[in-house]
């Protein structure tokens, strides 16, 4: 998208340019739309639902990885950003837990999938060094940031979807954009930019992407089988349009994924801060104290 502000040039400028804010929000997610909230398409909806299932456990892993290094950060602004990052991811986990409870009700094998991911991440937590966990975190933050950018760039995904689910994903995409460089800056500050750091972060993206899709795809297909949609050609056609065709949510991720392997890569080299201009106006509608949820309570 077109940048409205000049691209940042130094690491501290990048860190300073976007300070994340923890926001306490909640969303109204109708249980009877959990299987088709995205453009009325069960195939695309369950892909997003499968990703939602890994979010709370994944983001707790990111929180621990960043928290481990926070005390080594001396730049007060980056330290503050790391604390805000932790606060935002905690809120995302809480809202996705609410969302996932509805997925569990719909799909009997969804909870087993979540437990499998929890066990996998626990293995990484106990068997790998902290730098590898931070490398995995910045890799998955990159994947999240490019998915978020894809959602924010395509208004049709939002307009054609059930408003509660759509709002939750929109909020999450905005905050993922807002904090997309925080874990990366913690990485650069604590691991440097030398060949070892470059190889470790590059390996992290290959490994994280491979594991992510190797886990997500079989679970996703099992959910579609449960819905009796595996052989629904019309549904797959609509999915193709959303994921790879005209709208191309997944197709648009390919090029930015490769940018990560540039030796001097920084998340804000893709300057999409313009999306954040209306973030507070957007989330005000969903805050616990003054939004429609509170008024409805
Ligand atoms: Fe998040
Ligand atoms: Fe994140």
């Amino acid at each position: 998208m077109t940048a409205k502000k000049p691209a940042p040039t130094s690491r501290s400028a990048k860190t300073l340019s976007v300070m994340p804010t923890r926001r306490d929000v909640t969303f109204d997610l109708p249980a009877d739309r959990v299987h088709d909230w995205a453009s009325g398409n069960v195939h695309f909806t369950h892909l997003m639902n499968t990703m939602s299932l890994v979010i709370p456990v994944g983001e707790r892993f990111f929180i621990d990885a960043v928290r481990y290094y926070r005390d080594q950060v001396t730049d007060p602004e980056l330290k503050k950003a790391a604390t805000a990052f932790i606060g935002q991811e905690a809120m995302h986990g809480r809202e996705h837990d609410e969302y996932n409870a509805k997925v569990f009700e719909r799909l009997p094998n969804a909870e087993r999938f979540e437990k499998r991911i929890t066990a996998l991440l626990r293995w990484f937590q106990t068997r790998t060094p902290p730098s590898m966990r931070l490398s995995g975190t910045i890799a998955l933050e990159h994947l999240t940031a490019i998915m978020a950018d894809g959602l924010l760039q395509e208004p049709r995904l939002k307009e054609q979807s059930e408003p509660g689910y759509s709002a939750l994903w929109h909020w999450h995409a905005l905050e993922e954009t807002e904090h997309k460089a925080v874990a990366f800056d913690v990485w650069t500050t604590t691991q440097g930019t030398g060949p070892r750091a470059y190889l470790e972060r590059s390996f992290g993206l290959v490994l994280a992407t491979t594991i992510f899709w190797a886990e997500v795809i079989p679970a996703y297909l099992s959910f579609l089988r449960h819905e009796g949609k595996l052989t629904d050609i019309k549904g797959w056609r609509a999915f193709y349009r959303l994921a790879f065709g005209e709208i191309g949510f997944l197709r648009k991720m390919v090029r930015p994924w490769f940018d990560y392997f540039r030796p001097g890569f920084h998340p804000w080299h893709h300057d999409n801060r313009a999306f954040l201009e209306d973030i507070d106006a957007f989330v005000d509608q969903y805050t616990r104290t003054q939004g429609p949820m509170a008024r409805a309570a």
Side-chain angles (χ1 to χ4, degrees), residues 142-177:
H142 179 59
L143 275 186
T144 314
I146 60 182
M147 276 187 204
D149 189 62
L151 275 184
L152 296 170
Q153 275 193 44
E154 184 44 82
R156 282 174 293 182
L157 285 172
K158 186 160 167 264
E159 285 156 11
Q160 296 168 3
S161 299
E162 193 288 321
Y165 290 95
S166 166
L168 183 150
W169 280 107
H170 192 75
W171 158 70
H172 197 165
L174 287 170
E175 291 198 346
E176 286 302 323
T177 302

Short mmCIF file of all heavy atoms in Angstrom, two decimals, residues 142-177:
data_model
loop_
_atom_site.label_atom_id
_atom_site.label_comp_id
_atom_site.label_asym_id
_atom_site.label_seq_id
_atom_site.Cartn_x
_atom_site.Cartn_y
_atom_site.Cartn_z
N HIS A 142 6.60 -12.58 11.83
CA HIS A 142 6.67 -12.17 10.42
C HIS A 142 5.48 -12.78 9.65
O HIS A 142 4.79 -12.06 8.90
CB HIS A 142 7.99 -12.62 9.80
CG HIS A 142 8.13 -12.27 8.34
ND1 HIS A 142 8.07 -10.97 7.89
CD2 HIS A 142 8.30 -13.03 7.23
CE1 HIS A 142 8.19 -10.96 6.57
NE2 HIS A 142 8.33 -12.21 6.14
N LEU A 143 5.24 -14.07 9.86
CA LEU A 143 4.09 -14.71 9.20
C LEU A 143 2.80 -14.00 9.58
O LEU A 143 1.95 -13.71 8.74
CB LEU A 143 3.96 -16.18 9.64
CG LEU A 143 4.78 -17.25 8.93
CD1 LEU A 143 4.36 -18.62 9.44
CD2 LEU A 143 4.58 -17.18 7.42
N THR A 144 2.66 -13.70 10.87
CA THR A 144 1.46 -13.02 11.35
C THR A 144 1.32 -11.63 10.73
O THR A 144 0.23 -11.22 10.34
CB THR A 144 1.51 -12.89 12.90
OG1 THR A 144 1.90 -14.13 13.44
CG2 THR A 144 0.19 -12.50 13.47
N ALA A 145 2.44 -10.93 10.65
CA ALA A 145 2.41 -9.55 10.12
C ALA A 145 2.01 -9.55 8.64
O ALA A 145 1.25 -8.68 8.21
CB ALA A 145 3.77 -8.88 10.30
N ILE A 146 2.49 -10.52 7.88
CA ILE A 146 2.13 -10.50 6.45
C ILE A 146 0.69 -10.97 6.24
O ILE A 146 0.01 -10.52 5.34
CB ILE A 146 3.17 -11.23 5.56
CG1 ILE A 146 3.34 -12.70 5.91
CG2 ILE A 146 4.51 -10.53 5.61
CD1 ILE A 146 4.41 -13.43 5.07
N MET A 147 0.22 -11.87 7.14
CA MET A 147 -1.20 -12.25 7.07
C MET A 147 -2.07 -11.05 7.44
O MET A 147 -3.09 -10.79 6.82
CB MET A 147 -1.50 -13.38 8.06
CG MET A 147 -1.18 -14.74 7.54
SD MET A 147 -1.77 -15.98 8.71
CE MET A 147 -0.69 -17.33 8.28
N ALA A 148 -1.65 -10.34 8.48
CA ALA A 148 -2.41 -9.16 8.93
C ALA A 148 -2.48 -8.13 7.80
O ALA A 148 -3.55 -7.57 7.52
CB ALA A 148 -1.74 -8.56 10.16
N ASP A 149 -1.36 -7.92 7.13
CA ASP A 149 -1.34 -6.96 6.03
C ASP A 149 -2.29 -7.39 4.92
O ASP A 149 -3.01 -6.57 4.35
CB ASP A 149 0.10 -6.83 5.50
CG ASP A 149 0.24 -5.69 4.51
OD1 ASP A 149 0.01 -4.53 4.92
OD2 ASP A 149 0.53 -5.95 3.34
N GLY A 150 -2.32 -8.71 4.66
CA GLY A 150 -3.24 -9.24 3.64
C GLY A 150 -4.70 -8.99 4.01
O GLY A 150 -5.51 -8.62 3.15
N LEU A 151 -5.03 -9.16 5.29
CA LEU A 151 -6.41 -8.91 5.74
C LEU A 151 -6.75 -7.43 5.62
O LEU A 151 -7.83 -7.06 5.17
CB LEU A 151 -6.58 -9.32 7.21
CG LEU A 151 -6.88 -10.78 7.54
CD1 LEU A 151 -7.10 -10.93 9.04
CD2 LEU A 151 -8.13 -11.27 6.81
N LEU A 152 -5.80 -6.58 6.05
CA LEU A 152 -6.08 -5.14 6.07
C LEU A 152 -6.15 -4.56 4.65
O LEU A 152 -6.87 -3.59 4.41
CB LEU A 152 -5.01 -4.40 6.89
CG LEU A 152 -4.98 -4.77 8.38
CD1 LEU A 152 -3.74 -4.17 9.06
CD2 LEU A 152 -6.24 -4.31 9.10
N GLN A 153 -5.41 -5.17 3.74
CA GLN A 153 -5.40 -4.67 2.36
C GLN A 153 -6.68 -5.01 1.59
O GLN A 153 -6.93 -4.44 0.54
CB GLN A 153 -4.24 -5.29 1.59
CG GLN A 153 -2.94 -4.56 1.78
CD GLN A 153 -1.93 -5.05 0.75
OE1 GLN A 153 -2.25 -5.21 -0.41
NE2 GLN A 153 -0.72 -5.28 1.20
N GLU A 154 -7.43 -5.99 2.07
CA GLU A 154 -8.54 -6.50 1.28
C GLU A 154 -9.87 -6.24 1.97
O GLU A 154 -10.34 -7.07 2.78
CB GLU A 154 -8.33 -8.01 1.05
CG GLU A 154 -9.36 -8.65 0.17
CD GLU A 154 -9.72 -7.85 -1.08
OE1 GLU A 154 -8.98 -7.92 -2.07
OE2 GLU A 154 -10.76 -7.16 -1.03
N PRO A 155 -10.50 -5.08 1.74
CA PRO A 155 -11.75 -4.75 2.44
C PRO A 155 -12.87 -5.76 2.18
O PRO A 155 -13.74 -5.93 3.02
CB PRO A 155 -12.12 -3.36 1.91
CG PRO A 155 -11.27 -3.14 0.71
CD PRO A 155 -10.09 -4.03 0.82
N ARG A 156 -12.82 -6.47 1.03
CA ARG A 156 -13.91 -7.41 0.74
C ARG A 156 -13.97 -8.54 1.76
O ARG A 156 -15.04 -9.05 2.07
CB ARG A 156 -13.75 -7.99 -0.67
CG ARG A 156 -14.19 -7.02 -1.75
CD ARG A 156 -13.90 -7.55 -3.13
NE ARG A 156 -12.47 -7.63 -3.38
CZ ARG A 156 -11.92 -8.02 -4.53
NH1 ARG A 156 -12.70 -8.39 -5.52
NH2 ARG A 156 -10.61 -8.04 -4.69
N LEU A 157 -12.80 -8.94 2.32
CA LEU A 157 -12.80 -10.01 3.33
C LEU A 157 -13.62 -9.58 4.54
O LEU A 157 -14.32 -10.36 5.15
CB LEU A 157 -11.37 -10.36 3.76
CG LEU A 157 -10.53 -11.16 2.77
CD1 LEU A 157 -9.09 -11.24 3.25
CD2 LEU A 157 -11.09 -12.57 2.58
N LYS A 158 -13.50 -8.28 4.88
CA LYS A 158 -14.20 -7.74 6.05
C LYS A 158 -15.68 -7.51 5.73
O LYS A 158 -16.56 -7.91 6.49
CB LYS A 158 -13.52 -6.43 6.46
CG LYS A 158 -14.02 -5.82 7.73
CD LYS A 158 -12.97 -4.84 8.28
CE LYS A 158 -13.55 -3.99 9.38
NZ LYS A 158 -14.00 -2.68 8.89
N GLU A 159 -15.91 -6.91 4.59
CA GLU A 159 -17.28 -6.53 4.23
C GLU A 159 -18.21 -7.73 4.05
O GLU A 159 -19.39 -7.67 4.36
CB GLU A 159 -17.27 -5.72 2.92
CG GLU A 159 -16.77 -4.30 3.12
CD GLU A 159 -16.21 -3.70 1.83
OE1 GLU A 159 -16.41 -4.30 0.76
OE2 GLU A 159 -15.56 -2.64 1.92
N GLN A 160 -17.66 -8.85 3.57
CA GLN A 160 -18.51 -10.00 3.27
C GLN A 160 -18.67 -10.94 4.46
O GLN A 160 -19.25 -12.01 4.32
CB GLN A 160 -17.92 -10.79 2.08
CG GLN A 160 -17.89 -10.00 0.78
CD GLN A 160 -17.04 -10.67 -0.29
OE1 GLN A 160 -16.50 -11.75 -0.10
NE2 GLN A 160 -16.92 -10.01 -1.43
N SER A 161 -18.11 -10.59 5.62
CA SER A 161 -18.08 -11.53 6.73
C SER A 161 -18.99 -11.10 7.88
O SER A 161 -19.37 -9.93 7.97
CB SER A 161 -16.65 -11.68 7.23
OG SER A 161 -15.85 -12.19 6.17
N GLU A 162 -19.27 -12.05 8.75
CA GLU A 162 -20.10 -11.78 9.94
C GLU A 162 -19.37 -10.71 10.77
O GLU A 162 -18.16 -10.84 11.04
CB GLU A 162 -20.27 -13.10 10.72
CG GLU A 162 -21.33 -13.08 11.79
CD GLU A 162 -20.94 -12.27 13.00
OE1 GLU A 162 -19.75 -12.31 13.40
OE2 GLU A 162 -21.80 -11.57 13.55
N PRO A 163 -20.07 -9.64 11.21
CA PRO A 163 -19.38 -8.48 11.80
C PRO A 163 -18.55 -8.77 13.05
O PRO A 163 -17.48 -8.18 13.21
CB PRO A 163 -20.53 -7.51 12.13
CG PRO A 163 -21.69 -7.96 11.31
CD PRO A 163 -21.51 -9.41 11.03
N GLY A 164 -19.01 -9.65 13.95
CA GLY A 164 -18.26 -9.90 15.19
C GLY A 164 -16.92 -10.58 14.92
O GLY A 164 -15.86 -10.11 15.38
N TYR A 165 -16.94 -11.67 14.17
CA TYR A 165 -15.70 -12.40 13.85
C TYR A 165 -14.77 -11.50 13.03
O TYR A 165 -13.55 -11.47 13.24
CB TYR A 165 -16.00 -13.68 13.05
CG TYR A 165 -16.68 -14.75 13.87
CD1 TYR A 165 -18.08 -14.88 13.87
CD2 TYR A 165 -15.95 -15.63 14.66
CE1 TYR A 165 -18.71 -15.85 14.62
CE2 TYR A 165 -16.57 -16.61 15.42
CZ TYR A 165 -17.96 -16.72 15.40
OH TYR A 165 -18.58 -17.69 16.15
N SER A 166 -15.38 -10.79 12.09
CA SER A 166 -14.59 -9.91 11.24
C SER A 166 -13.90 -8.82 12.07
O SER A 166 -12.72 -8.52 11.86
CB SER A 166 -15.54 -9.31 10.21
OG SER A 166 -14.95 -8.26 9.57
N ALA A 167 -14.63 -8.27 13.05
CA ALA A 167 -14.06 -7.22 13.90
C ALA A 167 -12.91 -7.77 14.74
O ALA A 167 -11.88 -7.12 14.91
CB ALA A 167 -15.13 -6.61 14.80
N LEU A 168 -13.10 -8.98 15.26
CA LEU A 168 -12.02 -9.58 16.07
C LEU A 168 -10.76 -9.74 15.23
O LEU A 168 -9.67 -9.35 15.65
CB LEU A 168 -12.44 -10.93 16.62
CG LEU A 168 -11.43 -11.62 17.55
CD1 LEU A 168 -12.13 -12.50 18.59
CD2 LEU A 168 -10.43 -12.49 16.80
N TRP A 169 -10.88 -10.28 14.03
CA TRP A 169 -9.69 -10.47 13.18
C TRP A 169 -9.11 -9.13 12.74
O TRP A 169 -7.89 -8.99 12.60
CB TRP A 169 -10.05 -11.33 11.96
CG TRP A 169 -10.10 -12.80 12.25
CD1 TRP A 169 -11.22 -13.59 12.36
CD2 TRP A 169 -8.98 -13.68 12.50
NE1 TRP A 169 -10.87 -14.89 12.65
CE2 TRP A 169 -9.50 -14.98 12.73
CE3 TRP A 169 -7.60 -13.50 12.55
CZ2 TRP A 169 -8.69 -16.09 13.01
CZ3 TRP A 169 -6.78 -14.59 12.82
CH2 TRP A 169 -7.33 -15.87 13.05
N HIS A 170 -9.99 -8.13 12.52
CA HIS A 170 -9.49 -6.82 12.11
C HIS A 170 -8.67 -6.18 13.23
O HIS A 170 -7.58 -5.65 13.00
CB HIS A 170 -10.68 -5.93 11.71
CG HIS A 170 -10.28 -4.68 11.00
ND1 HIS A 170 -9.87 -4.66 9.68
CD2 HIS A 170 -10.19 -3.39 11.42
CE1 HIS A 170 -9.56 -3.42 9.33
NE2 HIS A 170 -9.74 -2.63 10.37
N TRP A 171 -9.21 -6.24 14.45
CA TRP A 171 -8.48 -5.72 15.63
C TRP A 171 -7.14 -6.44 15.77
O TRP A 171 -6.09 -5.82 15.98
CB TRP A 171 -9.34 -5.93 16.88
CG TRP A 171 -8.61 -5.95 18.18
CD1 TRP A 171 -8.02 -4.89 18.81
CD2 TRP A 171 -8.41 -7.09 19.05
NE1 TRP A 171 -7.46 -5.30 20.01
CE2 TRP A 171 -7.70 -6.63 20.17
CE3 TRP A 171 -8.79 -8.43 18.99
CZ2 TRP A 171 -7.33 -7.50 21.22
CZ3 TRP A 171 -8.42 -9.29 20.03
CH2 TRP A 171 -7.71 -8.82 21.13
N HIS A 172 -7.16 -7.77 15.65
CA HIS A 172 -5.93 -8.55 15.81
C HIS A 172 -4.93 -8.15 14.72
O HIS A 172 -3.73 -7.97 15.00
CB HIS A 172 -6.25 -10.05 15.78
CG HIS A 172 -5.14 -10.89 16.33
ND1 HIS A 172 -5.29 -12.20 16.69
CD2 HIS A 172 -3.85 -10.60 16.58
CE1 HIS A 172 -4.14 -12.67 17.13
NE2 HIS A 172 -3.24 -11.72 17.07
N ALA A 173 -5.41 -7.99 13.50
CA ALA A 173 -4.51 -7.62 12.40
C ALA A 173 -3.90 -6.23 12.64
O ALA A 173 -2.71 -6.02 12.38
CB ALA A 173 -5.27 -7.65 11.07
N LEU A 174 -4.70 -5.30 13.14
CA LEU A 174 -4.17 -3.95 13.42
C LEU A 174 -3.10 -4.00 14.50
O LEU A 174 -2.03 -3.39 14.36
CB LEU A 174 -5.31 -3.02 13.87
CG LEU A 174 -6.29 -2.57 12.78
CD1 LEU A 174 -7.49 -1.88 13.41
CD2 LEU A 174 -5.60 -1.62 11.79
N GLU A 175 -3.37 -4.74 15.58
CA GLU A 175 -2.37 -4.77 16.67
C GLU A 175 -1.14 -5.58 16.28
O GLU A 175 -0.03 -5.27 16.72
CB GLU A 175 -3.01 -5.30 17.95
CG GLU A 175 -4.02 -4.30 18.52
CD GLU A 175 -4.38 -4.52 19.97
OE1 GLU A 175 -4.07 -5.61 20.53
OE2 GLU A 175 -4.98 -3.61 20.57
N GLU A 176 -1.31 -6.61 15.44
CA GLU A 176 -0.13 -7.34 14.96
C GLU A 176 0.75 -6.42 14.11
O GLU A 176 1.97 -6.51 14.15
CB GLU A 176 -0.53 -8.57 14.14
CG GLU A 176 -1.07 -9.73 14.97
CD GLU A 176 -0.09 -10.23 16.03
OE1 GLU A 176 1.13 -10.27 15.78
OE2 GLU A 176 -0.56 -10.57 17.13
N THR A 177 0.09 -5.53 13.36
CA THR A 177 0.84 -4.55 12.57
C THR A 177 1.54 -3.57 13.51
O THR A 177 2.73 -3.28 13.35
CB THR A 177 -0.12 -3.80 11.62
OG1 THR A 177 -0.76 -4.78 10.79
CG2 THR A 177 0.60 -2.78 10.76
#
